Amino acid sequence: AGGIGRELIRMLEPVGTKVVAVNRSGRQVPGAEATHTTATLPEVIEDADFVVLAAALTDETRGLIGRDLLGRMKSDAWIVNVARGGLIDTDALIEALDEGLIGGAALDVTDPEPLPDEPQRRPFRTRRGSRGPGGPGHRLLTRPFPPRSRLTVSGMQEPRCP
């Protein structure tokens, strides 16, 4: 995990959060119960209650979270993006929310930003902090996201060398 992921792990420690980190190398992240490589993300994401993205946007990570990974998430799991909007396939996220495949999304960023005023993207613009397109129990927050006490996947960035 990079700086954001490590700080999030530190902040969640007092509430007993189980954190599973994901990075390119699989090198252990301090404070995480386990660390996996990005290649294992499809399996790791299946057990996540909250998926927090704190990765850099690169050619490798653009669209990292798409239909396949959203479809593997638990139906009550949330995805939280505090990094770059391009990490998530926006159309796939809208579909996942519409179909009730995931519990919700908390987005600090979107792609594109600002979102265009198109019918399929209106839930992002009009349902901030209210019931989302997935119906009762499905919420979409665009800013700010609420603190949560459980997290099972955090960050994908390697620590930077000084």
Side-chain angles (χ1 to χ4, degrees):
I4 293 171
R6 288 191 309 269
E7 181 63 14
L8 180 59
I9 290 169
R10 185 194 67 75
M11 291 170 55
L12 292 172
E13 185 178 9
V15 294
T17 303
K18 174 186 175 186
V19 175
V20 175
V22 177
N23 60 35
R24 288 183 299 248
S25 70
R27 185 174 31 237
Q28 183 61 36
V29 173
E33 184 174 297
T35 304
H36 299 275
T37 64
T38 308
T40 65
L41 185 58
E43 292 78 34
V44 174
I45 206 168
E46 292 175 351
D47 295 324
D49 296 312
F50 295 89
V51 176
V52 177
L53 300 176
L57 183 61
T58 66
D59 290 339
E60 183 180 279
T61 61
R62 181 173 297 283
L64 177 71
I65 305 297
R67 284 177 179 82
D68 179 55
L69 290 182
L70 290 164
R72 290 174 173 261
M73 290 174 64
K74 296 190 300 187
S75 62
D76 61 346
W78 279 60
I79 188 148
V80 179
N81 189 359
V82 298
R84 299 287 183 250
L87 295 172
I88 298 177
D89 176 336
T90 301
D91 293 332
L93 177 60
I94 291 170
E95 287 177 20
L97 291 165
D98 282 344
E99 295 170 15
L101 296 179
I102 64 172
L107 309 173
D108 185 45
V109 291
T110 60
D111 183 35
E113 190 164 320
L115 288 172
D117 190 24
E118 299 170 351
Q120 72 272 22
R121 292 196 167 126
R122 283 195 187 121
F124 282 97
R125 301 176 66 84
T126 61
R127 298 182 187 244
R128 296 169 109 176
S130 63
R131 296 254 180 235
H138 292 81
R139 296 172 57 87
L140 174 69
L141 305 175
T142 55
R143 285 185 186 95
F145 65 90
R148 298 291 181 192
S149 60
R150 295 185 325 152
L151 174 76
T152 56
V153 177
S154 173
M156 290 174 219
Q157 229 7 43
E158 299 285 336
R160 291 191 177 159
C161 297

